[in-house]
Amino acid sequence: MPHEAPASYLHRLAQAYRLQLRQILEGIGITVDGRPGSMPGGSEIVLSPAALHHLATFTRIPDLPRALGNVVHGSRDPDPGHPNARWQPLEPARQPTRTCPWCTLHHSRGTTSQAWAYHRAHQRLCPQHLRWATPPTDRASLDTRALPELVPAHHAHKRLGRRPDATAAYQWAAAITTRWHDQEHHLTRRWHYRRTRLADTNPPPAHGKSWALTGRDPVTYPETVALARHLARTPHPEADHGFLDQTANILGLDRLVLPPHDLLRAWIHTTQQRPRRRCL
């Protein structure tokens, strides 16, 4: 599957043969070092080039090394000359997320609905089946049919991705809306209403998590995308005296008053430090 985690693919492959992941790898001559963590998605398996070659030969999928190689960025590969695999723990921010169960059923030809992949920010929502990708530790991805505003936000996010500064703008916007959500600033009533609709159409969160945490990303997503597009279009807000009024209008607010330590203030300050581009 696109961007699927190697551990997820190998787990599905082993299930097809009714084996454990270690058993199927060692059965085709790949040495496995270490053990996976106790939680799904909390660790990744890194395959050496020789191990990827063994796996491609076994599965008869020539493109498999390209699909599974170099997924875990910044990892130290096992000995490239030997068919080795090594488990590596992942920090929460770098862990994969659950795939859409209906897409997974289609790709796996009905064998399973459970898999996880390294989704980019604009891939968290499946616009066809309206499922929101969640961490593998959650019971399942979220059903977002009760939040139709996520689909236009998804398409706007894809358009934003064409800009060279899209990643930085979205990261800033996500940090800002996350802080607003957690500190109950500006958009609390709207987000609470969305969170209630989400909770009414999904099972309770797993492992004692609250809906405030589980639903935070999808309920803030439309405003995060809108703010990211606004930030990307306004590289020097200090030159625009109506910047906060424009921001409030874009977010559907009557006005926007920022507390002293608001992250949007930090973004404005950061942009003021950037040198302006000179037209020659």
Side-chain angles (χ1 to χ4, degrees):
M1 295 178 62
H3 312 290
E4 185 174 8
S8 173
Y9 171 75
L10 292 173
H11 179 71
R12 294 197 296 113
L13 180 67
Q15 279 189 324
Y17 290 91
R18 299 183 181 181
L19 296 171
Q20 298 296 319
L21 189 152
R22 177 182 289 268
Q23 291 175 322
I24 196 167
L25 289 182
E26 292 182 344
I28 60 176
I30 299 174
T31 303
V32 181
D33 298 325
R35 294 187 177 277
S38 58
M39 304 300 292
S43 55
E44 184 58 273
I45 191 161
V46 183
L47 300 158
S48 69
L52 288 168
H53 177 73
H54 273 52
L55 197 60
T57 301
F58 173 72
T59 59
R60 298 180 182 178
I61 304 176
D63 290 339
L64 198 62
R66 181 176 55 85
L68 296 183
N70 302 319
V71 170
V72 187
H73 299 292
S75 63
R76 183 175 58 83
D77 290 334
D79 185 347
H82 294 82
N84 295 344
R86 173 177 51 81
W87 283 103
Q88 172 180 298
L90 297 176
E91 298 176 359
R94 299 177 63 192
Q95 291 177 5
T97 49
R98 284 192 179 275
T99 59
C100 169
W102 308 115
C103 292
T104 305
L105 277 171
H106 172 73
H107 280 280
S108 66
R109 299 181 182 180
T111 58
T112 183
S113 63
Q114 302 293 325
W116 52 94
Y118 292 96
H119 293 106
R120 299 175 183 175
H122 69 278
Q123 297 169 327
R124 293 289 299 275
L125 178 73
C126 171
Q128 180 180 0
H129 301 109
L130 303 180
R131 304 293 299 201
W132 183 270
T134 57
T137 52
D138 290 353
R139 289 192 178 100
S141 58
L142 293 175
D143 182 350
T144 63
R145 286 176 293 178
L147 305 181
E149 57 268 46
L150 266 60
V151 174
H154 167 78
H155 294 309
H157 196 173
K158 290 180 67 176
R159 292 193 297 271
L160 173 66
R162 300 168 188 165
R163 298 180 60 100
D165 52 355
T167 300
Y170 187 82
Q171 289 175 343
W172 266 106
I176 291 167
T177 55
T178 295
R179 179 75 63 85
W180 288 355
H181 176 278
D182 293 348
Q183 296 185 350
E184 298 187 346
H185 287 165
H186 310 307
L187 293 151
T188 301
R189 183 176 299 180
R190 186 188 307 172
W191 289 339
H192 177 74
Y193 176 60
R194 281 192 197 136
R195 189 163 61 240
T196 300
R197 286 188 286 163
L198 201 63
D200 289 343
T201 53
N202 284 276
H207 308 296
K209 290 184 179 180
S210 66
W211 272 113
L213 178 61
T214 301
R216 181 176 62 193
D217 290 348
V219 302
T220 61
Y221 184 64
E223 289 71 32
T224 300
V225 174
L227 182 59
R229 296 181 70 195
H230 183 47
L231 299 185
R233 291 195 297 259
T234 318
H236 294 285
E238 78 284 2
D240 184 358
H241 299 295
F243 173 72
L244 289 183
D245 291 337
Q246 290 180 8
T247 306
N249 181 61
I250 285 169
L251 296 176
L253 297 170
D254 293 333
R255 62 174 185 162
L256 185 61
V257 179
L258 302 181
H261 301 292
D262 195 281
L263 277 182
L264 184 53
R265 283 187 181 274
W267 177 82
I268 295 173
H269 177 74
T270 300
T271 59
Q272 290 174 344
Q273 309 306 314
R274 299 176 191 159
R276 290 180 180 272
R277 291 184 178 180
R278 299 175 59 187
C279 296
L280 301 179

